[in-house]
Amino acid sequence: MRLPLHLLALRNAPLPWRKGMCAAVAVAIPAVAAMLLGQPWGVLLGGIGGLYASFLDFGGTLRHRLWTQAAGLALILGAAVLGHWVGGDSPWLFLLLALLAFGTGWADGSGAALEAIFRFALLALLIYAFVPAPPAVALAFAGVGVTAGLVAVGIDSLLWPRALPRQHPGLANSVKQIARGRTAGWRHALGYAVTCCAALWLALDLHSVRPAWVAAATVFAIRPDGPDSLRRLFQTAFGTLVGVAGAWLLAHLTPHPAMLLLWVLLLAFYRPLAMVHNMWLHSAALTAFILLLFDIALQPGGAAAGAALLRERLNDVMLGSLVALIGVALFNSAARRHLLARLGGR
């Protein structure tokens, strides 16, 4: 069997430069402010909050863009509150995960906006079930980051107004698609939910330090199109390897927090461009972005703690990718045929 190295090729397509600039500005405002005020955890949450708007910015008019952002933020915050309230040691977490994952899988095919919102809600549910509540001041910086991102999106829309195409992947058209019954259906939803829950159960059974990272690999990789899921798994795993190696290299060559923050801002700018180039580059940029933020938050002992975090991230993503691969092979006949054909050398 030949390795699918063709999946690493870069695409030649127009790059969303303005989207990258909006993301960099939205991350810079809370992260730089938190660093100047001596709030390392504020840098972490502010950076993540600043990236939110660029993830759910699908263009169109200002009204459509802000409606998508606001609805997504409400659902994601609600899932985070539920996760924190239930906790990682409660069996109710599996029920909530199964229900939300089933809804996410069922809505697949309705449009990029709703699919992304549901998946980020799943991620928020998982993360906040296993992490203690961050300091209130750090949450304030996250709020500043989200606000800065929304303002940047609004300014972009006012300066470069664009009409909303009929088939635009915004939230309104996603809801219309669901009303017409154009979704992935219950079979995909059931397989998606079972795989996500199996990944979390395995992570807990193996005493993973961050079980949410294991389950997250299944959350974002599995799609109704079987071959597309296999492509995503390969590109995500490869990109994670590159991102972990890149974060380790940058943290050791330029360990000063100010230099790490500079790399974080550059990665925030490049992330939307990386998605256009190839998904593995997006995975690498996002992995390095998160790990470098954690390295800043863990200062002054960030180097040693960051190295452990790198290993955990790599192990968890590889384990989650393996579970996702098994789930896709079991529940998606097209993926199973494609995988067997590849293994057979055809």
Side-chain angles (χ1 to χ4, degrees):
M1 182 188 71
R2 293 182 301 173
L3 292 175
L5 298 181
H6 64 283
L7 297 180
L8 305 180
L10 303 185
R11 292 189 294 268
N12 185 17
L15 298 177
W17 297 103
R18 295 204 314 274
K19 192 172 184 178
M21 185 59 68
C22 289
V25 170
V27 170
I29 291 174
V32 172
M35 181 166 287
L36 292 175
L37 294 174
Q39 297 288 339
W41 286 101
V43 177
L44 172 65
L45 292 187
I48 294 174
L51 211 61
Y52 166 78
S54 69
F55 267 111
L56 293 181
D57 180 20
F58 299 98
T61 63
L62 177 61
R63 180 172 65 87
H64 283 89
R65 293 168 88 172
L66 293 184
W67 165 242
T68 299
Q69 301 274 348
L73 187 61
L75 182 59
I76 292 167
L77 287 177
V81 170
L82 276 176
H84 180 68
W85 177 60
V86 171
D89 57 351
S90 170
W92 289 102
L93 176 63
F94 278 92
L95 177 61
L96 290 174
L97 176 62
L99 290 174
L100 186 53
F102 185 89
T104 301
W106 181 76
D108 272 348
S110 62
L114 197 60
E115 293 171 12
I117 289 172
F118 272 134
R119 280 173 167 80
F120 282 117
L122 272 171
L123 183 62
L125 175 74
L126 289 165
I127 288 177
Y128 283 94
F130 293 99
V131 299
V137 65
L139 289 174
F141 283 108
V144 171
V146 172
T147 304
L150 294 176
V151 170
V153 165
I155 293 175
D156 176 78
S157 183
L158 292 174
L159 293 178
W160 294 279
R162 288 171 286 174
L164 192 71
R166 180 173 298 176
Q167 297 302 320
H168 186 272
L171 190 60
N173 278 331
S174 295
V175 175
K176 292 177 183 177
Q177 293 287 81
I178 290 179
R180 295 167 183 159
R182 297 178 182 175
T183 66
W186 68 269
R187 288 185 178 85
H188 167 70
L190 181 62
Y192 184 82
V194 170
T195 305
C196 290
C197 290
L200 180 60
W201 173 82
L202 184 61
L204 293 173
D205 189 63
L206 295 176
H207 304 289
S208 172
V209 178
R210 289 178 173 80
W213 285 3
V214 178
T218 64
V219 166
F220 287 97
I222 299 176
R223 301 283 173 164
D225 184 347
D228 182 59
S229 293
L230 296 174
R231 173 186 63 81
R232 284 175 171 272
L233 281 170
F234 175 74
Q235 291 173 334
T236 299
F238 183 81
T240 300
L241 283 170
V242 174
V244 167
W248 179 87
L249 187 64
L250 293 175
H252 280 73
L253 292 179
T254 56
H256 193 276
M259 288 301 301
L260 294 178
L261 182 57
L262 177 61
W263 289 117
V264 164
L265 299 181
L266 291 173
L267 288 167
F269 171 78
Y270 180 63
R271 188 205 61 79
L273 282 65
M275 179 61 85
V276 174
H277 280 139
N278 195 300
M279 188 175 177
W280 74 266
L281 279 171
H282 176 267
S283 179
L286 187 59
T287 296
F289 175 87
I290 297 295
L291 291 175
L292 290 178
L293 281 176
F294 267 105
D295 208 70
I296 295 172
L298 294 170
Q299 294 285 346
L309 196 71
L310 293 175
R311 290 192 298 272
E312 292 165 9
R313 172 65 175 164
L314 185 60
N315 293 337
D316 290 343
V317 169
M318 294 303 140
L319 177 60
S321 297
L322 177 60
V323 175
L325 178 62
I326 295 172
V328 168
L330 287 175
F331 294 104
N332 192 299
S333 57
R336 187 165 55 249
R337 289 193 299 268
H338 183 81
L339 184 61
L340 291 175
R342 293 293 302 179
L343 291 175
R346 298 195 301 273

